Each structure stands twice: as C-alpha cells, then as structure tokens.
Amino acid sequence: MEQECIFCRIVAREVASDVVYEDTECLAFRDIAPQAPIHLLIIPKSHIPSVAELTEGQQELAGHLILIAKNLAEREGLAAKGYRLVVNCGYEGGQVVPHLHIHLIGGMKLGSKLG
Ligand code: AMP
C-alpha cells in the first residue's frame, strides 16, 4: 500500500467510497465525479501506478480486471446497449490518479471522440 495513494486508501477503507464489488485481487467502486449515469472504477488492490508498469507476471490480473468490468457492466444493466472501458495512462493520456484503474462508463449514448 502507498500511503499517499487515494485508491490504496480506498482499498484500505481509510477513505470512504461506494464499493460495488470486491475480491482478493480487485475492488470496484463508483466514480466520485461520474461522467455518465453509470461510471465505475475497477482497480487492482495492489499499487500498480499505470498500464506502463504492468509486468508479464501480472497478465492474469490484467485480464481479471477486464472480466470483472464485463461482469459489472452486465450487473449494472449495460450489456444490451453497450458501454465503454477506458484506461488512461500517464500525463498525456489524461491519467490523474496514479493507481491503475479501468473506467466503466455507460447508461447513455457516448460520443465517438476519444481524445
Ligand atoms: P483518471 O483521470 O483516469 O486518473 O481518472 C481518475 C478518476 O478517479 C476520475 O474520474 C475521478 O473522478 C476519480 N476519483 C478521484 N478520487 C476519487 C474518489 N475518492 N472516489 C471515487 N472516485 C475518485
């Protein structure tokens, strides 16, 4: 755990959040500033700063996060109409919180512009 990391502190329950899913490897909670009717964040419990720091040994974890996102999309009723998964990486990628996270966004027709 990184003491300065807001998402590590959410994992440790030092900071409150609206948790929607948890297992031994990951946590999912509602984004504090949602950009769509449904906006969840799926994160590894371990502190991985971004996709750029993922290692070969974390291949299973990376896949697990995507499958959890898929399952949560179904649970939130997004599967039929569709949704978007976004992973920002680094400064120019628009990443603000330096703890790897997948945005699950849906519940409305999203724009085609990504950048
Ligand atoms: P990114 O720009 O990809 O780093 O996205 C970070 C996301 O974390 C943003 O959508 C923020 O609204 C969200 N966020 C920041 N702090 C919190 C928090 N304490 N609880 C829930 N979401 C948060």
Side-chain angles (χ1 to χ4, degrees), residues 7 10 29-33 41 88 94-97 101 103:
F7 286 180
I10 285 174
F29 50 94
R30 295 194 190 277
D31 196 291
I32 202 166
L41 300 171
N88 296 325
Q95 184 179 9
V96 173
V97 177
H101 50 281
H103 296 259

Side-chain angles (χ1 to χ4, degrees), residues 85-100:
L85 302 182
V86 174
V87 183
N88 296 325
C89 180
Y91 172 69
E92 290 207 351
Q95 184 179 9
V96 173
V97 177
H99 182 128
L100 178 63

Side-chain angles (χ1 to χ4, degrees), residues 19 21-28 43-45 61 64-65 68:
V19 172
Y21 176 82
E22 179 170 22
D23 63 30
T24 55
E25 299 296 322
C26 79
L27 188 75
I43 71 169
K45 285 186 167 176
L61 172 62
H64 179 66
L65 294 173
I68 293 303

Side-chain angles (χ1 to χ4, degrees), residues 25 53 59 63 72 80 93 96 112:
E25 299 296 322
E53 285 79 22
Q59 188 166 327
L72 288 172
V96 173
S112 56

